[in-house]
Short mmCIF file of all heavy atoms in Angstrom, two decimals:
data_model
loop_
_atom_site.label_atom_id
_atom_site.label_comp_id
_atom_site.label_asym_id
_atom_site.label_seq_id
_atom_site.Cartn_x
_atom_site.Cartn_y
_atom_site.Cartn_z
N ASN U 103 170.42 163.43 46.96
CA ASN U 103 170.16 163.11 48.36
C ASN U 103 168.82 162.20 48.46
O ASN U 103 168.00 162.30 49.35
CB ASN U 103 169.93 164.31 49.12
CG ASN U 103 170.10 164.02 50.58
OD1 ASN U 103 170.72 163.11 50.98
ND2 ASN U 103 169.35 164.88 51.37
N PHE U 104 168.49 161.52 47.38
CA PHE U 104 167.46 160.50 47.42
C PHE U 104 167.74 159.45 46.34
O PHE U 104 168.57 159.71 45.41
CB PHE U 104 166.09 161.04 47.25
CG PHE U 104 165.96 161.73 46.04
CD1 PHE U 104 165.57 161.12 44.69
CD2 PHE U 104 166.02 163.17 45.88
CE1 PHE U 104 165.42 161.92 43.48
CE2 PHE U 104 165.79 163.86 44.73
CZ PHE U 104 165.53 163.23 43.54
N GLY U 105 167.12 158.29 46.44
CA GLY U 105 167.48 157.23 45.66
C GLY U 105 166.41 156.96 44.47
O GLY U 105 165.38 157.63 44.39
N PHE U 106 166.78 156.02 43.64
CA PHE U 106 165.65 155.62 42.58
C PHE U 106 164.44 155.16 43.15
O PHE U 106 163.40 155.33 42.51
CB PHE U 106 166.36 154.56 41.66
CG PHE U 106 167.30 155.11 40.72
CD1 PHE U 106 168.75 155.15 40.94
CD2 PHE U 106 166.84 155.83 39.56
CE1 PHE U 106 169.55 155.69 40.07
CE2 PHE U 106 167.75 156.38 38.55
CZ PHE U 106 169.09 156.23 38.88
N GLY U 107 164.65 154.58 44.27
CA GLY U 107 163.24 154.09 44.91
C GLY U 107 162.28 155.17 45.30
O GLY U 107 161.14 155.05 45.09
N ASP U 108 162.86 156.34 45.59
CA ASP U 108 161.98 157.42 45.76
C ASP U 108 161.36 158.07 44.44
O ASP U 108 160.24 158.50 44.50
CB ASP U 108 162.93 158.68 46.40
CG ASP U 108 163.54 158.24 47.73
OD1 ASP U 108 162.76 157.50 48.39
OD2 ASP U 108 164.69 158.61 47.93
N ILE U 109 162.15 158.02 43.35
CA ILE U 109 161.62 158.41 42.04
C ILE U 109 160.50 157.61 41.63
O ILE U 109 159.45 157.93 41.16
CB ILE U 109 162.74 158.56 40.99
CG1 ILE U 109 163.87 159.52 41.64
CG2 ILE U 109 162.16 159.03 39.73
CD1 ILE U 109 164.93 159.52 40.57
N PHE U 110 160.68 156.32 41.69
CA PHE U 110 159.81 155.32 40.98
C PHE U 110 158.81 154.66 42.10
O PHE U 110 158.06 153.92 41.74
CB PHE U 110 160.47 154.29 40.30
CG PHE U 110 161.37 154.83 39.29
CD1 PHE U 110 162.76 154.71 39.25
CD2 PHE U 110 160.87 155.51 38.06
CE1 PHE U 110 163.58 155.33 38.46
CE2 PHE U 110 161.61 156.01 37.16
CZ PHE U 110 163.03 155.95 37.25
N GLY U 111 158.94 155.11 43.30
CA GLY U 111 157.97 154.68 44.38
C GLY U 111 158.15 153.28 44.73
O GLY U 111 157.32 152.62 45.36
N THR U 112 159.46 152.73 44.74
CA THR U 112 159.74 151.41 45.27
C THR U 112 160.22 151.34 46.70
O THR U 112 160.25 150.26 47.25
CB THR U 112 160.79 150.87 44.38
OG1 THR U 112 161.99 151.56 44.46
CG2 THR U 112 160.40 150.74 42.99
N HIS U 113 160.30 152.54 47.25
CA HIS U 113 160.77 152.56 48.69
C HIS U 113 159.58 152.93 49.66
O HIS U 113 158.86 153.98 49.21
CB HIS U 113 161.96 153.49 48.96
CG HIS U 113 163.21 152.99 48.43
ND1 HIS U 113 164.35 153.74 48.59
CD2 HIS U 113 163.53 151.90 47.77
CE1 HIS U 113 165.35 152.95 47.88
NE2 HIS U 113 164.86 152.01 47.40
N SER U 114 159.37 152.36 50.64
CA SER U 114 158.18 152.56 51.43
C SER U 114 158.48 153.73 52.57
O SER U 114 157.69 154.27 53.01
CB SER U 114 157.54 151.37 52.08
OG SER U 114 158.58 150.81 52.90
N SER U 115 159.83 153.77 52.89
CA SER U 115 160.04 154.78 53.92
C SER U 115 161.64 155.01 53.90
O SER U 115 162.43 154.28 53.40
CB SER U 115 159.86 154.02 55.29
OG SER U 115 160.32 154.84 56.25
N GLN U 116 161.89 156.27 54.37
CA GLN U 116 163.25 156.72 54.37
C GLN U 116 163.90 156.37 55.80
O GLN U 116 164.95 156.66 56.03
CB GLN U 116 163.29 158.24 54.19
CG GLN U 116 163.14 158.76 52.86
CD GLN U 116 164.40 158.85 51.95
OE1 GLN U 116 165.41 158.27 52.38
NE2 GLN U 116 164.29 159.56 50.90
N ARG U 117 163.19 155.84 56.70
CA ARG U 117 163.63 155.77 57.98
C ARG U 117 164.64 154.68 58.08
O ARG U 117 164.62 153.69 57.47
CB ARG U 117 162.51 155.41 59.01
CG ARG U 117 161.45 156.52 59.04
CD ARG U 117 160.17 156.17 59.79
NE ARG U 117 160.49 155.79 61.18
CZ ARG U 117 159.71 155.41 62.17
NH1 ARG U 117 158.25 155.31 61.82
NH2 ARG U 117 159.89 155.14 63.33
N ASN U 118 165.75 154.88 58.80
CA ASN U 118 166.84 154.01 59.00
C ASN U 118 166.57 153.27 60.41
O ASN U 118 166.62 153.88 61.47
CB ASN U 118 168.09 154.64 59.08
CG ASN U 118 169.33 153.79 59.11
OD1 ASN U 118 169.16 152.61 59.24
ND2 ASN U 118 170.53 154.34 59.03
N PRO U 119 166.37 151.96 60.47
CA PRO U 119 165.99 151.19 61.62
C PRO U 119 167.30 150.95 62.48
O PRO U 119 167.21 150.62 63.57
CB PRO U 119 165.44 149.86 61.14
CG PRO U 119 166.23 149.75 59.78
CD PRO U 119 166.30 151.05 59.24
N TYR U 120 168.48 151.34 61.95
CA TYR U 120 169.71 151.00 62.64
C TYR U 120 170.29 152.30 63.35
O TYR U 120 170.45 153.31 62.59
CB TYR U 120 170.63 150.38 61.73
CG TYR U 120 170.10 149.10 61.09
CD1 TYR U 120 169.77 149.08 59.70
CD2 TYR U 120 169.97 147.95 61.83
CE1 TYR U 120 169.38 148.00 59.15
CE2 TYR U 120 169.63 146.82 61.17
CZ TYR U 120 169.18 146.82 59.86
OH TYR U 120 168.72 145.67 59.31
N PRO U 121 170.64 152.19 64.58
CA PRO U 121 171.30 153.34 65.13
C PRO U 121 172.72 153.70 64.49
O PRO U 121 173.33 152.73 64.04
CB PRO U 121 171.56 152.95 66.68
CG PRO U 121 171.57 151.46 66.66
CD PRO U 121 170.56 151.03 65.47
N LYS U 122 173.09 154.97 64.43
CA LYS U 122 174.24 155.40 63.89
C LYS U 122 175.49 155.12 64.60
O LYS U 122 175.56 155.51 65.76
CB LYS U 122 174.11 156.85 63.39
CG LYS U 122 175.24 157.36 62.45
CD LYS U 122 174.89 158.82 62.13
CE LYS U 122 175.89 159.43 61.20
NZ LYS U 122 175.56 160.80 60.92
N ARG U 123 176.52 154.61 63.87
CA ARG U 123 177.82 154.36 64.59
C ARG U 123 178.46 155.69 64.93
O ARG U 123 178.22 156.57 64.33
CB ARG U 123 178.70 153.53 63.59
CG ARG U 123 180.07 153.24 64.18
CD ARG U 123 180.79 152.45 63.05
NE ARG U 123 182.24 152.20 63.43
CZ ARG U 123 183.22 152.96 63.26
NH1 ARG U 123 183.03 154.19 62.62
NH2 ARG U 123 184.48 152.66 63.62
N GLY U 124 179.31 155.63 66.03
CA GLY U 124 180.01 156.82 66.40
C GLY U 124 181.01 157.40 65.37
O GLY U 124 181.51 156.61 64.53
N ARG U 125 181.29 158.59 65.37
CA ARG U 125 182.26 159.26 64.38
C ARG U 125 183.65 158.86 64.78
O ARG U 125 184.10 158.90 65.92
CB ARG U 125 181.98 160.79 64.41
CG ARG U 125 182.75 161.48 63.44
CD ARG U 125 182.20 162.93 63.31
NE ARG U 125 182.64 163.59 64.54
CZ ARG U 125 183.71 164.42 64.60
NH1 ARG U 125 184.47 164.63 63.64
NH2 ARG U 125 183.90 165.09 65.78
N ASP U 126 184.40 158.56 63.68
CA ASP U 126 185.81 158.38 63.88
C ASP U 126 186.54 159.68 64.18
O ASP U 126 185.99 160.68 63.66
CB ASP U 126 186.47 157.75 62.64
CG ASP U 126 186.04 156.28 62.42
OD1 ASP U 126 185.56 155.54 63.38
OD2 ASP U 126 186.01 155.81 61.31
N LEU U 127 187.75 159.60 64.89
CA LEU U 127 188.45 160.78 65.24
C LEU U 127 189.75 160.59 64.63
O LEU U 127 190.37 159.51 64.70
CB LEU U 127 188.52 161.13 66.72
CG LEU U 127 187.15 161.36 67.52
CD1 LEU U 127 187.34 161.56 68.92
CD2 LEU U 127 186.49 162.63 66.80
N VAL U 128 190.44 161.70 64.27
CA VAL U 128 191.83 161.75 63.72
C VAL U 128 192.56 162.66 64.50
O VAL U 128 192.26 163.93 64.82
CB VAL U 128 192.00 162.06 62.21
CG1 VAL U 128 193.37 161.96 61.78
CG2 VAL U 128 191.12 161.07 61.48
N LEU U 129 193.82 162.27 65.13
CA LEU U 129 194.67 163.09 65.84
C LEU U 129 196.17 163.06 65.42
O LEU U 129 196.62 162.01 64.95
CB LEU U 129 194.67 162.62 67.33
CG LEU U 129 195.54 163.36 68.27
CD1 LEU U 129 194.92 164.86 68.61
CD2 LEU U 129 195.70 162.69 69.65
N ASN U 130 196.73 164.19 65.11
CA ASN U 130 198.11 164.27 64.62
C ASN U 130 199.01 164.30 65.85
O ASN U 130 198.75 164.93 66.90
CB ASN U 130 198.36 165.50 63.88
CG ASN U 130 197.69 165.47 62.59
OD1 ASN U 130 197.49 164.47 61.87
ND2 ASN U 130 197.02 166.60 62.19
N MET U 131 200.14 163.40 65.81
CA MET U 131 201.01 163.32 66.98
C MET U 131 202.54 163.51 66.45
O MET U 131 202.86 162.76 65.57
CB MET U 131 200.93 162.04 67.72
CG MET U 131 201.99 161.87 68.80
SD MET U 131 201.76 160.29 69.64
CE MET U 131 200.22 160.45 70.52
N GLU U 132 203.23 164.41 67.11
CA GLU U 132 204.58 164.51 66.81
C GLU U 132 205.55 163.85 67.88
O GLU U 132 205.23 164.01 69.03
CB GLU U 132 205.02 166.01 66.64
CG GLU U 132 204.36 166.75 65.50
CD GLU U 132 204.80 168.17 65.38
OE1 GLU U 132 205.63 168.59 66.15
OE2 GLU U 132 204.35 169.01 64.48
N ILE U 133 206.53 163.15 67.29
CA ILE U 133 207.43 162.40 68.38
C ILE U 133 208.88 162.70 67.71
O ILE U 133 209.08 162.94 66.57
CB ILE U 133 207.13 160.94 68.39
CG1 ILE U 133 207.17 160.20 67.01
CG2 ILE U 133 205.89 160.71 69.06
CD1 ILE U 133 207.05 158.70 67.15
N ASN U 134 209.98 162.47 68.57
CA ASN U 134 211.27 162.63 68.07
C ASN U 134 211.72 161.30 67.64
O ASN U 134 211.16 160.27 67.76
CB ASN U 134 212.17 163.22 69.12
CG ASN U 134 212.16 162.39 70.42
OD1 ASN U 134 212.41 161.12 70.35
ND2 ASN U 134 212.13 163.11 71.58
#
Side-chain angles (χ1 to χ4, degrees):
N103 202 29
F104 57 81
F106 280 97
D108 300 323
I109 299 175
F110 300 115
T112 59
H113 291 179
S114 61
S115 176
Q116 286 269 21
R117 296 173 63 178
N118 185 355
Y120 303 106
K122 189 176 179 181
R123 177 181 178 273
R125 189 168 65 97
D126 291 335
L127 297 177
V128 179
L129 180 72
N130 295 316
M131 178 182 289
E132 293 186 0
I133 58 176
N134 61 43

